[in-house]
mmCIF file of all heavy atoms in Angstrom:
data_model
loop_
_atom_site.group_PDB
_atom_site.id
_atom_site.type_symbol
_atom_site.label_atom_id
_atom_site.label_comp_id
_atom_site.label_asym_id
_atom_site.label_seq_id
_atom_site.Cartn_x
_atom_site.Cartn_y
_atom_site.Cartn_z
ATOM 1 N N ALA A 64 -75.782 -98.523 1.512
ATOM 2 C CA ALA A 64 -74.995 -97.884 0.512
ATOM 3 C C ALA A 64 -74.280 -98.927 -0.348
ATOM 4 O O ALA A 64 -73.858 -98.669 -1.393
ATOM 5 C CB ALA A 64 -73.901 -96.968 1.227
ATOM 6 N N GLY A 65 -74.123 -100.167 0.243
ATOM 7 C CA GLY A 65 -73.364 -101.222 -0.515
ATOM 8 C C GLY A 65 -74.291 -102.233 -1.137
ATOM 9 O O GLY A 65 -73.826 -103.304 -1.617
ATOM 10 N N VAL A 66 -75.541 -102.004 -1.252
ATOM 11 C CA VAL A 66 -76.547 -102.962 -1.829
ATOM 12 C C VAL A 66 -77.307 -102.357 -2.996
ATOM 13 O O VAL A 66 -77.597 -101.250 -3.069
ATOM 14 C CB VAL A 66 -77.549 -103.434 -0.742
ATOM 15 C CG1 VAL A 66 -78.572 -102.383 -0.394
ATOM 16 C CG2 VAL A 66 -78.301 -104.790 -1.168
ATOM 17 N N GLN A 67 -77.472 -103.277 -4.007
ATOM 18 C CA GLN A 67 -78.162 -102.888 -5.186
ATOM 19 C C GLN A 67 -79.538 -103.519 -5.240
ATOM 20 O O GLN A 67 -79.663 -104.745 -5.447
ATOM 21 C CB GLN A 67 -77.342 -103.281 -6.535
ATOM 22 C CG GLN A 67 -78.041 -102.839 -7.780
ATOM 23 C CD GLN A 67 -78.049 -101.272 -7.941
ATOM 24 O OE1 GLN A 67 -77.087 -100.562 -7.667
ATOM 25 N NE2 GLN A 67 -79.248 -100.825 -8.387
ATOM 26 N N PRO A 68 -80.626 -102.831 -5.031
ATOM 27 C CA PRO A 68 -81.932 -103.411 -4.944
ATOM 28 C C PRO A 68 -82.256 -104.164 -6.284
ATOM 29 O O PRO A 68 -81.851 -103.675 -7.392
ATOM 30 C CB PRO A 68 -82.918 -102.229 -4.810
ATOM 31 C CG PRO A 68 -82.044 -101.178 -4.176
ATOM 32 C CD PRO A 68 -80.707 -101.317 -4.722
ATOM 33 N N LYS A 69 -82.909 -105.298 -6.247
ATOM 34 C CA LYS A 69 -83.239 -106.072 -7.479
ATOM 35 C C LYS A 69 -84.389 -107.021 -7.184
ATOM 36 O O LYS A 69 -84.612 -107.322 -5.969
ATOM 37 C CB LYS A 69 -82.045 -106.813 -7.915
ATOM 38 C CG LYS A 69 -81.513 -107.848 -6.911
ATOM 39 C CD LYS A 69 -80.293 -108.567 -7.497
ATOM 40 C CE LYS A 69 -79.774 -109.609 -6.488
ATOM 41 N NZ LYS A 69 -79.251 -109.017 -5.224
ATOM 42 N N ILE A 70 -85.117 -107.350 -8.182
ATOM 43 C CA ILE A 70 -86.207 -108.360 -8.084
ATOM 44 C C ILE A 70 -85.581 -109.687 -7.811
ATOM 45 O O ILE A 70 -84.632 -110.129 -8.484
ATOM 46 C CB ILE A 70 -87.078 -108.422 -9.378
ATOM 47 C CG1 ILE A 70 -87.635 -107.033 -9.723
ATOM 48 C CG2 ILE A 70 -88.104 -109.444 -9.199
ATOM 49 C CD1 ILE A 70 -88.532 -106.519 -8.598
ATOM 50 N N PRO A 71 -86.022 -110.352 -6.637
ATOM 51 C CA PRO A 71 -85.358 -111.578 -6.266
ATOM 52 C C PRO A 71 -85.748 -112.717 -7.292
ATOM 53 O O PRO A 71 -86.775 -112.758 -7.816
ATOM 54 C CB PRO A 71 -85.996 -111.949 -4.876
ATOM 55 C CG PRO A 71 -87.231 -111.085 -4.842
ATOM 56 C CD PRO A 71 -87.047 -109.942 -5.670
ATOM 57 N N GLU A 72 -84.729 -113.583 -7.450
ATOM 58 C CA GLU A 72 -84.924 -114.785 -8.294
ATOM 59 C C GLU A 72 -85.665 -115.897 -7.534
ATOM 60 O O GLU A 72 -86.181 -116.776 -8.098
ATOM 61 C CB GLU A 72 -83.595 -115.230 -8.880
ATOM 62 C CG GLU A 72 -82.848 -114.246 -9.759
ATOM 63 C CD GLU A 72 -81.513 -114.700 -10.233
ATOM 64 O OE1 GLU A 72 -81.211 -115.911 -9.801
ATOM 65 O OE2 GLU A 72 -80.856 -113.977 -10.874
ATOM 66 N N ILE A 73 -85.404 -115.908 -6.206
ATOM 67 C CA ILE A 73 -85.987 -117.009 -5.352
ATOM 68 C C ILE A 73 -87.156 -116.441 -4.587
ATOM 69 O O ILE A 73 -87.135 -115.285 -4.008
ATOM 70 C CB ILE A 73 -84.906 -117.423 -4.374
ATOM 71 C CG1 ILE A 73 -83.694 -118.013 -5.119
ATOM 72 C CG2 ILE A 73 -85.465 -118.458 -3.323
ATOM 73 C CD1 ILE A 73 -83.985 -119.261 -5.863
ATOM 74 N N ASN A 74 -88.216 -117.249 -4.474
ATOM 75 C CA ASN A 74 -89.357 -116.925 -3.624
ATOM 76 C C ASN A 74 -89.019 -117.366 -2.192
ATOM 77 O O ASN A 74 -89.067 -118.488 -1.875
ATOM 78 C CB ASN A 74 -90.651 -117.626 -4.199
ATOM 79 C CG ASN A 74 -91.920 -117.250 -3.376
ATOM 80 O OD1 ASN A 74 -91.827 -117.141 -2.147
ATOM 81 N ND2 ASN A 74 -92.931 -117.092 -4.110
ATOM 82 N N LEU A 75 -88.676 -116.251 -1.366
ATOM 83 C CA LEU A 75 -88.267 -116.589 -0.056
ATOM 84 C C LEU A 75 -89.360 -117.253 0.802
ATOM 85 O O LEU A 75 -89.059 -118.177 1.603
ATOM 86 C CB LEU A 75 -87.811 -115.286 0.617
ATOM 87 C CG LEU A 75 -87.309 -115.456 2.107
ATOM 88 C CD1 LEU A 75 -86.149 -116.366 2.250
ATOM 89 C CD2 LEU A 75 -86.950 -114.028 2.681
ATOM 90 N N GLU A 76 -90.574 -116.930 0.629
ATOM 91 C CA GLU A 76 -91.638 -117.466 1.378
ATOM 92 C C GLU A 76 -91.851 -118.965 1.069
ATOM 93 O O GLU A 76 -92.140 -119.767 1.945
ATOM 94 C CB GLU A 76 -93.032 -116.792 1.034
ATOM 95 C CG GLU A 76 -94.154 -117.187 2.001
ATOM 96 C CD GLU A 76 -95.384 -116.438 1.701
ATOM 97 O OE1 GLU A 76 -95.450 -115.615 0.747
ATOM 98 O OE2 GLU A 76 -96.412 -116.589 2.490
ATOM 99 N N GLU A 77 -91.440 -119.415 -0.186
ATOM 100 C CA GLU A 77 -91.446 -120.798 -0.436
ATOM 101 C C GLU A 77 -90.122 -121.489 0.007
ATOM 102 O O GLU A 77 -90.145 -122.653 0.402
ATOM 103 C CB GLU A 77 -91.622 -121.014 -1.957
ATOM 104 C CG GLU A 77 -93.031 -120.613 -2.471
ATOM 105 C CD GLU A 77 -93.141 -120.782 -3.991
ATOM 106 O OE1 GLU A 77 -92.177 -121.210 -4.560
ATOM 107 O OE2 GLU A 77 -94.207 -120.447 -4.502
ATOM 108 N N ALA A 78 -89.022 -120.807 -0.262
ATOM 109 C CA ALA A 78 -87.670 -121.378 0.139
ATOM 110 C C ALA A 78 -87.592 -121.671 1.641
ATOM 111 O O ALA A 78 -86.976 -122.677 1.985
ATOM 112 C CB ALA A 78 -86.618 -120.410 -0.271
ATOM 113 N N ILE A 79 -88.298 -120.884 2.432
ATOM 114 C CA ILE A 79 -88.110 -121.148 3.973
ATOM 115 C C ILE A 79 -88.772 -122.411 4.339
ATOM 116 O O ILE A 79 -88.494 -122.902 5.371
ATOM 117 C CB ILE A 79 -88.712 -119.897 4.698
ATOM 118 C CG1 ILE A 79 -88.134 -119.936 6.176
ATOM 119 C CG2 ILE A 79 -90.194 -119.905 4.688
ATOM 120 C CD1 ILE A 79 -86.705 -119.649 6.332
ATOM 121 N N ARG A 80 -89.630 -122.874 3.495
ATOM 122 C CA ARG A 80 -90.295 -124.206 3.819
ATOM 123 C C ARG A 80 -89.552 -125.406 3.302
ATOM 124 O O ARG A 80 -89.945 -126.570 3.570
ATOM 125 C CB ARG A 80 -91.768 -124.200 3.136
ATOM 126 C CG ARG A 80 -92.568 -123.008 3.543
ATOM 127 C CD ARG A 80 -93.967 -122.982 2.910
ATOM 128 N NE ARG A 80 -94.651 -121.718 3.034
ATOM 129 C CZ ARG A 80 -95.189 -121.216 4.175
ATOM 130 N NH1 ARG A 80 -95.163 -121.997 5.264
ATOM 131 N NH2 ARG A 80 -95.774 -120.079 4.128
ATOM 132 N N LEU A 81 -88.403 -125.186 2.598
ATOM 133 C CA LEU A 81 -87.536 -126.306 2.284
ATOM 134 C C LEU A 81 -86.900 -126.922 3.504
ATOM 135 O O LEU A 81 -86.747 -126.256 4.576
ATOM 136 C CB LEU A 81 -86.514 -125.738 1.268
ATOM 137 C CG LEU A 81 -86.897 -125.338 -0.094
ATOM 138 C CD1 LEU A 81 -85.819 -124.627 -0.822
ATOM 139 C CD2 LEU A 81 -87.496 -126.466 -0.931
ATOM 140 N N PRO A 82 -86.391 -128.177 3.383
ATOM 141 C CA PRO A 82 -85.565 -128.708 4.510
ATOM 142 C C PRO A 82 -84.369 -127.702 4.771
ATOM 143 O O PRO A 82 -83.772 -127.146 3.959
ATOM 144 C CB PRO A 82 -85.090 -129.990 3.908
ATOM 145 C CG PRO A 82 -86.106 -130.448 2.911
ATOM 146 C CD PRO A 82 -86.488 -129.079 2.317
ATOM 147 N N ILE A 83 -84.016 -127.551 6.098
ATOM 148 C CA ILE A 83 -83.071 -126.586 6.490
ATOM 149 C C ILE A 83 -81.822 -126.736 5.861
ATOM 150 O O ILE A 83 -80.997 -125.913 5.571
ATOM 151 C CB ILE A 83 -83.031 -126.573 8.037
ATOM 152 C CG1 ILE A 83 -82.063 -125.343 8.443
ATOM 153 C CG2 ILE A 83 -82.412 -127.857 8.532
ATOM 154 C CD1 ILE A 83 -82.158 -125.152 9.987
ATOM 155 N N GLN A 84 -81.407 -128.052 5.529
ATOM 156 C CA GLN A 84 -80.103 -128.301 4.925
ATOM 157 C C GLN A 84 -80.011 -127.748 3.450
ATOM 158 O O GLN A 84 -78.947 -127.720 2.850
ATOM 159 C CB GLN A 84 -79.726 -129.798 4.933
ATOM 160 C CG GLN A 84 -80.707 -130.727 4.218
ATOM 161 C CD GLN A 84 -81.806 -131.282 5.164
ATOM 162 O OE1 GLN A 84 -82.184 -130.554 6.123
ATOM 163 N NE2 GLN A 84 -82.290 -132.472 4.890
ATOM 164 N N GLU A 85 -81.182 -127.364 2.869
ATOM 165 C CA GLU A 85 -81.241 -126.782 1.547
ATOM 166 C C GLU A 85 -81.164 -125.294 1.597
ATOM 167 O O GLU A 85 -81.042 -124.660 0.560
ATOM 168 C CB GLU A 85 -82.446 -127.313 0.825
ATOM 169 C CG GLU A 85 -82.382 -128.800 0.542
ATOM 170 C CD GLU A 85 -83.517 -129.273 -0.360
ATOM 171 O OE1 GLU A 85 -84.029 -128.453 -1.170
ATOM 172 O OE2 GLU A 85 -83.922 -130.427 -0.238
ATOM 173 N N TRP A 86 -81.386 -124.650 2.776
ATOM 174 C CA TRP A 86 -81.440 -123.209 2.881
ATOM 175 C C TRP A 86 -80.193 -122.576 2.193
ATOM 176 O O TRP A 86 -80.287 -121.547 1.520
ATOM 177 C CB TRP A 86 -81.582 -122.756 4.249
ATOM 178 C CG TRP A 86 -83.013 -122.971 4.797
ATOM 179 C CD1 TRP A 86 -84.052 -123.560 4.198
ATOM 180 C CD2 TRP A 86 -83.463 -122.598 6.177
ATOM 181 N NE1 TRP A 86 -85.072 -123.614 5.087
ATOM 182 C CE2 TRP A 86 -84.771 -123.075 6.263
ATOM 183 C CE3 TRP A 86 -82.803 -122.030 7.234
ATOM 184 C CZ2 TRP A 86 -85.493 -122.857 7.408
ATOM 185 C CZ3 TRP A 86 -83.515 -121.842 8.372
ATOM 186 C CH2 TRP A 86 -84.857 -122.217 8.446
ATOM 187 N N LYS A 87 -79.044 -123.107 2.472
ATOM 188 C CA LYS A 87 -77.767 -122.423 2.041
ATOM 189 C C LYS A 87 -77.703 -122.310 0.524
ATOM 190 O O LYS A 87 -76.941 -121.498 -0.033
ATOM 191 C CB LYS A 87 -76.548 -123.158 2.654
ATOM 192 C CG LYS A 87 -76.253 -124.510 2.090
ATOM 193 C CD LYS A 87 -75.168 -125.178 2.837
ATOM 194 C CE LYS A 87 -74.925 -126.570 2.380
ATOM 195 N NZ LYS A 87 -73.759 -127.200 3.060
ATOM 196 N N PHE A 88 -78.494 -123.049 -0.251
ATOM 197 C CA PHE A 88 -78.497 -123.069 -1.689
ATOM 198 C C PHE A 88 -79.513 -122.029 -2.189
ATOM 199 O O PHE A 88 -79.439 -121.700 -3.387
ATOM 200 C CB PHE A 88 -78.715 -124.372 -2.252
ATOM 201 C CG PHE A 88 -77.834 -125.476 -1.808
ATOM 202 C CD1 PHE A 88 -78.300 -126.551 -0.987
ATOM 203 C CD2 PHE A 88 -76.446 -125.413 -2.103
ATOM 204 C CE1 PHE A 88 -77.354 -127.523 -0.605
ATOM 205 C CE2 PHE A 88 -75.589 -126.423 -1.722
ATOM 206 C CZ PHE A 88 -75.997 -127.468 -0.905
ATOM 207 N N HIS A 89 -80.431 -121.595 -1.410
ATOM 208 C CA HIS A 89 -81.565 -120.847 -1.838
ATOM 209 C C HIS A 89 -81.756 -119.493 -1.114
ATOM 210 O O HIS A 89 -82.427 -118.615 -1.666
ATOM 211 C CB HIS A 89 -82.850 -121.702 -1.796
ATOM 212 C CG HIS A 89 -82.776 -122.939 -2.581
ATOM 213 N ND1 HIS A 89 -82.852 -123.034 -3.965
ATOM 214 C CD2 HIS A 89 -82.537 -124.160 -2.147
ATOM 215 C CE1 HIS A 89 -82.773 -124.236 -4.327
ATOM 216 N NE2 HIS A 89 -82.567 -124.976 -3.236
ATOM 217 N N ILE A 90 -81.355 -119.425 0.163
ATOM 218 C CA ILE A 90 -81.668 -118.288 0.994
ATOM 219 C C ILE A 90 -80.439 -117.447 1.320
ATOM 220 O O ILE A 90 -79.436 -118.023 1.824
ATOM 221 C CB ILE A 90 -82.317 -118.724 2.280
ATOM 222 C CG1 ILE A 90 -83.610 -119.542 1.945
ATOM 223 C CG2 ILE A 90 -82.623 -117.554 3.187
ATOM 224 C CD1 ILE A 90 -84.400 -120.103 3.207
ATOM 225 N N ARG A 91 -80.497 -116.204 0.955
ATOM 226 C CA ARG A 91 -79.249 -115.373 1.174
ATOM 227 C C ARG A 91 -79.690 -114.014 1.676
ATOM 228 O O ARG A 91 -80.872 -113.480 1.501
ATOM 229 C CB ARG A 91 -78.450 -115.188 -0.132
ATOM 230 C CG ARG A 91 -79.125 -114.540 -1.210
ATOM 231 C CD ARG A 91 -78.368 -114.603 -2.531
ATOM 232 N NE ARG A 91 -77.009 -114.049 -2.370
ATOM 233 C CZ ARG A 91 -76.618 -112.809 -2.384
ATOM 234 N NH1 ARG A 91 -77.596 -111.852 -2.594
ATOM 235 N NH2 ARG A 91 -75.402 -112.399 -2.230
ATOM 236 N N ASN A 92 -78.781 -113.299 2.218
ATOM 237 C CA ASN A 92 -78.901 -111.967 2.716
ATOM 238 C C ASN A 92 -78.292 -111.063 1.720
ATOM 239 O O ASN A 92 -77.028 -111.108 1.520
ATOM 240 C CB ASN A 92 -78.304 -111.754 4.102
ATOM 241 C CG ASN A 92 -78.430 -110.396 4.743
ATOM 242 O OD1 ASN A 92 -78.675 -109.378 4.002
ATOM 243 N ND2 ASN A 92 -78.411 -110.326 5.999
ATOM 244 N N ASP A 93 -79.093 -110.195 1.005
ATOM 245 C CA ASP A 93 -78.520 -109.279 -0.027
ATOM 246 C C ASP A 93 -77.430 -108.308 0.469
ATOM 247 O O ASP A 93 -76.712 -107.817 -0.257
ATOM 248 C CB ASP A 93 -79.677 -108.524 -0.703
ATOM 249 C CG ASP A 93 -80.511 -109.398 -1.641
ATOM 250 O OD1 ASP A 93 -80.053 -110.575 -1.906
ATOM 251 O OD2 ASP A 93 -81.551 -108.939 -2.103
ATOM 252 N N PHE A 94 -77.448 -107.972 1.745
ATOM 253 C CA PHE A 94 -76.466 -107.119 2.254
ATOM 254 C C PHE A 94 -75.049 -107.701 2.367
ATOM 255 O O PHE A 94 -74.142 -107.013 2.372
ATOM 256 C CB PHE A 94 -76.863 -106.696 3.742
ATOM 257 C CG PHE A 94 -77.957 -105.656 3.813
ATOM 258 C CD1 PHE A 94 -79.168 -106.006 4.380
ATOM 259 C CD2 PHE A 94 -77.803 -104.402 3.280
ATOM 260 C CE1 PHE A 94 -80.166 -105.007 4.474
ATOM 261 C CE2 PHE A 94 -78.802 -103.447 3.274
ATOM 262 C CZ PHE A 94 -80.003 -103.784 3.936
#
């Protein structure tokens, strides 16, 4: 009820392959 669906700006499948210290800049939970 509190989330607005949207097309993601970040490709999560690619972002997860980044060094873990970069995740906080690219990977988020829309909820």
